[in-house]
Amino acid sequence: ALAALTTTQGVGGVYAAQAQEQANSDPQGAARAYAAARAWDPLNARYASKQGQLFFSRLGQLTEAEAAAHTAVALGPNSVNFRRLGDVLQQFGRQPEAITAYEDGLHAEPHSLDLLLRLARLSTPPHALDYYRRLSDLELTPVGTVRALGEYTETGFAFGDTVLGDEAAKTDPASAAAYYARAAHVLEQYADNGGSQNGQQAALHNNKADPQEETSLRGLYQHVLPAWIAIAPPDQRA
């Protein structure tokens, strides 16, 4: 029985490797290869998760993506699988269900920056601010200071810092300036490292530059600097 199990898992791995190679050039072929991998190794959550992501990001087949994501969550209830499920649910406009999926993912990984940022953006203002604060607080912990990838910039921190800076600017300009300084530093670091064309950054985004992300971050920077200048002492504004 063990030999048979090992054999089926090995065949599943072969199909999964084939799918990985085809993902960019032949997404339909990759989807079929992941289906074969799942047929040989049906308890492997990674195959369902990656197939669901392929349906979502490459093929635009949301119904198939949701089915695969639900299977992945059932087999492997981790933050990545819950995030992928939530992303699909968002595309369907099912925001409450997406929030629930992200919250479940956060229970599995309380320090997930991706999940905190998604929840901050989807939640109503009081709860949103709590998520932004949790995100920003992690910037000063090992989550934000210890880098597994030296040139990869966690841009999510900049969004948390900016929102908290805007909030603090109403009553506490000194705290607001500190938040804006942190946000500006993150964004400048991202630009200095090549933006979305940075090798490490691109490797985590299907090896493609992301002009939309760069436009969003540039817009954030263009918000941060004027807001920071507005509350700065006169001798520092220049």
Side-chain angles (χ1 to χ4, degrees):
L2 180 59
L5 177 62
T6 302
T7 298
T8 58
Q9 289 177 335
V11 175
V14 170
Y15 278 112
Q18 177 184 330
Q20 190 75 22
E21 292 177 0
Q22 293 178 313
N24 291 329
S25 60
D26 181 12
Q28 287 284 6
R32 289 192 294 270
Y34 276 130
R38 291 178 61 185
W40 280 95
D41 191 1
L43 299 182
N44 192 316
R46 287 178 301 146
Y47 299 160
S49 181
K50 290 182 177 181
Q51 186 188 37
Q53 180 65 11
L54 189 71
F55 281 132
F56 175 73
S57 64
R58 294 287 184 179
L59 298 173
Q61 299 174 217
L62 295 182
T63 301
E64 292 83 352
E66 182 184 2
H70 276 296
T71 300
V73 162
L75 294 172
N78 57 49
S79 63
V80 172
N81 292 339
F82 278 116
R83 171 172 57 80
R84 288 176 173 170
L85 174 60
D87 289 350
V88 176
L89 293 170
Q90 267 207 80
Q91 290 298 309
F92 276 116
R94 292 149 59 185
Q95 311 294 10
E97 292 177 70
I99 289 174
T100 298
Y102 293 144
E103 288 174 339
D104 289 342
L106 206 58
H107 288 310
E109 187 183 336
H111 295 161
S112 170
L113 305 182
D114 288 338
L115 291 174
L116 285 169
L117 187 56
R118 282 166 169 77
L119 284 165
R121 287 170 169 168
L122 282 181
S123 301
T124 53
H127 295 99
L129 197 61
D130 289 339
Y131 285 121
Y132 279 121
R133 185 170 286 110
R134 288 173 63 179
L135 177 65
S136 181
D137 288 347
L138 286 172
E139 187 177 0
L140 304 181
T141 72
V143 174
T145 57
V146 177
R147 298 261 53 83
L149 297 173
E151 295 182 357
Y152 181 81
T153 305
E154 292 287 4
T155 55
F157 291 132
F159 289 98
D161 292 335
T162 301
V163 170
L164 294 176
D166 291 345
E167 187 68 18
K170 301 172 185 176
T171 57
D172 187 355
S175 294
Y179 281 121
Y180 289 144
R182 283 165 51 180
H185 174 72
V186 170
L187 294 167
E188 290 161 3
Q189 185 180 56
Y190 172 80
D192 289 343
N193 286 334
S196 68
Q197 297 184 52
N198 170 270
Q200 294 175 354
Q201 208 92 18
L204 297 177
H205 296 87
N206 299 316
N207 290 314
K208 293 170 59 180
D210 190 345
Q212 186 175 359
E213 179 188 29
E214 293 191 355
T215 298
S216 172
L217 294 173
R218 186 177 294 108
L220 187 65
Y221 191 63
Q222 290 170 340
H223 168 85
V224 166
L225 286 187
W228 187 7
I229 291 169
I231 61 172
D235 62 327
Q236 294 180 17
R237 288 178 186 170

